[in-house]
Amino acid sequence: MTYIVNDACIACKHTDCVEVCPVDCFYEGENMLVIHPDECIDCGVCEPECPVDAILPDTEPGMEKWVEFNRKYSELWPVIITKRDSLPDAEKHEGEEGKLEKYFSEAPGEGG
């Protein structure tokens, strides 16, 4: 098992999770985070830290596409280990449907 980040993170990008990760397996895009599934040690400490429930175990139904999504972008984006402020309109986008199609950016974040 591993944990993944899904589209609930897009346009919010809360980073409370990166601060508790013991293996630094979070990677930062311009408007979301992902977890490298091969680096995640399945400890689960990140899951309760996410205020928008964007972190889920890969054993949940329909998570296969998110495992591959997380793998792809974790190999392209920089690692992030430092908590930062959420995106400016995060509260406005919490719970919004269709964020992958509307807002997702392949651009890397700053990392760090």
Side-chain angles (χ1 to χ4, degrees), residues 7 9 19 21 25 28 32 41 44 54 60 84 90 93 95 102 109:
D7 59 343
C9 185
E19 211 169 41
C21 181
C25 65
E28 183 184 20
M32 79 174 293
I41 60 170
E60 294 283 321
R84 293 203 188 100
H93 294 293
K102 291 180 192 176

Side-chain angles (χ1 to χ4, degrees), residues 13-61:
K13 196 166 81 169
H14 298 284
T15 58
D16 308 75
C17 52
V18 304
E19 211 169 41
V20 299
C21 181
V23 293
D24 302 334
C25 65
F26 280 89
Y27 292 79
E28 183 184 20
E30 179 179 39
N31 66 356
M32 79 174 293
L33 304 176
V34 293
I35 295 172
H36 195 301
D38 297 333
E39 295 173 3
C40 176
I41 60 170
D42 313 325
C43 68
V45 297
C46 59
E47 186 179 19
E49 296 299 317
C50 183
V52 295
D53 298 323
I55 300 173
L56 298 170
D58 69 346
T59 54
E60 294 283 321

